[in-house]
Amino acid sequence: MISGKGKVCGIMAYPVEHSLSPMMHNFYGEQMGLDFAYVPFKVQEDQVEAALKGAYALNVAGMNVTVPHKQRVIPYLRELDPTARAIGAVNTLVRTDGGYKGYNTDAPGLWRAMREAGMEVRGQNCLLIGAGGAAKAAAFVLGSQGAASVLVLNRNRDRAGELAEDMNRWFGREFMTAMALEDYEKVPEGPWLAVQTTSVGMNPHADQALVEDRAFYRKIRCGMEIIYTPEKTKFMSLVEEAGGRAAGGLDMLIYQGIEAFELWNPGQRVPDKIIDQVRQKMRKELEK
Ligand code: ATR
């Protein structure tokens, strides 16, 4: 039960009804005995500034920000963490004196999921599939963790080129290059660490993968998927059938939440046992 001294956080999205974040965060708060509540805030696109002002006035301690507000919140923040600045998107706000500070926990969440799946980035040649919002967070992880090279494969080649240019500039090294998806057969032999960041293959289109050609998957040693519905995508199955290892997006979703929870509750670390319980609860919810 939350007391008068309790800390209130929430998620700002539109729509917000399907978010699993309230379930995750309230579970951590309860299990860890914290005076903490996390609530959904449905915020229309033209109400972002008003929502932030209102939340600040109401002493809301922190927020998650998701579709479609991850970029739109930036002008109204007091401060921006360097990771969020590099990615150009914010998914977590932390209350500070005079306003909110914006963070991006998608990148550290993805990195933790990759590490726990035993996927090393340092010195590796990486294939980044997609060049949208999710790809930016993944590109940042690959750059900051010392990938030897990153080849960005995207339907719209110009978008891949822009992402590569941005990241090469940010990290001060020419490690990222772009290729049009239609040229996928020209991807060198590898072996590659591939990160799949497009929405292709997400329910209800679980029978699809961006590339269906099995020869492509023989070049991939490890495949990290960002989609979490279904838990095993066709991309993952194709990687595994070709003899590689694959991991799904559920852990990234969980760890981006944990990184946010730990920003709002300094000094707390969510124990592994509670993370396992949340993983089970999420699986049940996602099966519904
Ligand atoms: P998000 O923020 O979730 O990454 P996004 O910014 O819309 O969403 O990016 C979606 C990504 O999936 C892009 O890389 C997009 O390719 P384009 O840049 O060429 O549009 C990719 N994508 C989505 N649907 C696709 C499809 N049917 N075929 C190929 N690529 C697709």
Side-chain angles (χ1 to χ4, degrees):
M1 188 92 94
I2 189 158
S3 79
K5 296 182 201 132
K7 189 177 274 187
V8 176
C9 290
I11 177 165
M12 192 169 126
Y14 193 92
V16 75
E17 288 84 348
H18 302 294
S19 173
L20 295 174
S21 294
M23 188 266 273
M24 281 197 284
H25 289 282
N26 287 314
F27 184 73
Y28 301 141
E30 269 163 42
Q31 295 295 311
M32 294 170 72
L34 303 178
D35 201 352
F36 175 89
Y38 184 102
V39 289
F41 296 115
K42 184 152 126 182
V43 176
Q44 306 248 13
E45 294 191 31
D46 61 355
Q47 293 296 316
V48 168
E49 184 178 13
L52 285 187
K53 277 197 179 140
Y56 196 78
L58 291 166
N59 198 32
V60 170
M63 281 224 265
N64 280 135
V65 179
T66 187
V67 179
H69 304 317
K70 283 183 168 187
Q71 288 161 348
R72 194 162 288 126
V73 291
I74 293 176
Y76 309 114
L77 301 177
R78 169 92 192 199
E79 210 184 327
L80 202 53
D81 173 78
T83 299
R85 186 184 304 280
I87 297 168
V90 160
N91 79 326
T92 300
L93 308 182
V94 177
R95 187 186 179 85
T96 63
D97 271 350
Y100 288 104
K101 178 169 179 181
Y103 291 85
N104 185 304
T105 70
D106 290 329
L110 171 62
W111 173 228
R112 187 157 164 191
M114 290 178 76
R115 249 180 6 231
E116 305 233 331
M119 294 185 186
E120 181 54 67
V121 168
R122 189 158 303 281
Q124 303 298 308
N125 295 315
C126 305
L127 204 53
L128 179 59
I129 305 175
K136 275 194 179 171
F140 181 83
V141 168
L142 299 177
S144 58
Q145 295 306 323
S149 72
V150 178
L151 180 57
V152 190
L153 204 56
N154 197 49
R155 178 177 58 185
N156 177 338
R157 194 203 166 281
D158 289 348
R159 206 174 176 196
E162 279 169 31
L163 176 60
E165 252 180 52
D166 282 355
M167 289 291 146
N168 288 339
R169 199 176 315 119
W170 180 269
F171 289 105
R173 60 185 181 113
E174 293 291 315
F175 71 111
M176 213 173 266
T177 51
M179 187 186 265
L181 180 63
E182 61 186 1
D183 293 333
Y184 79 87
E185 286 172 330
K186 294 183 194 151
V187 170
E189 281 309 307
W192 297 91
L193 166 62
V195 186
Q196 199 303 112
T197 70
T198 76
S199 50
V200 178
M202 192 186 288
N203 280 341
H205 304 293
D207 58 330
Q208 298 178 2
L210 197 60
V211 178
E212 305 264 354
D213 183 350
R214 280 159 204 273
F216 173 74
Y217 293 91
R218 285 197 283 274
K219 301 174 183 173
I220 296 175
R221 182 174 45 82
C222 283
M224 182 73 204
E225 171 68 273
I226 277 182
I227 292 172
Y228 55 89
T229 55
E231 197 173 353
K232 185 170 220 171
T233 61
K234 185 159 188 201
F235 167 80
M236 292 166 66
S237 298
L238 287 164
V239 168
E240 287 178 354
E241 280 164 30
R245 276 194 315 113
L250 183 58
D251 276 2
M252 176 184 174
L253 175 66
I254 292 173
Y255 291 129
Q256 65 73 31
I258 288 175
E259 297 283 332
F261 186 85
E262 292 174 352
L263 282 171
W264 300 322
N265 296 287
Q268 299 285 343
R269 273 203 66 81
V270 181
D272 287 346
K273 199 180 96 212
I274 295 179
I275 300 177
D276 288 341
Q277 288 171 322
V278 147
R279 197 178 286 113
Q280 296 315 321
K281 282 167 78 75
M282 301 274 283
R283 283 199 174 114
K284 266 203 195 132
E285 285 297 318
L286 293 170
E287 272 166 17
K288 279 183 187 167

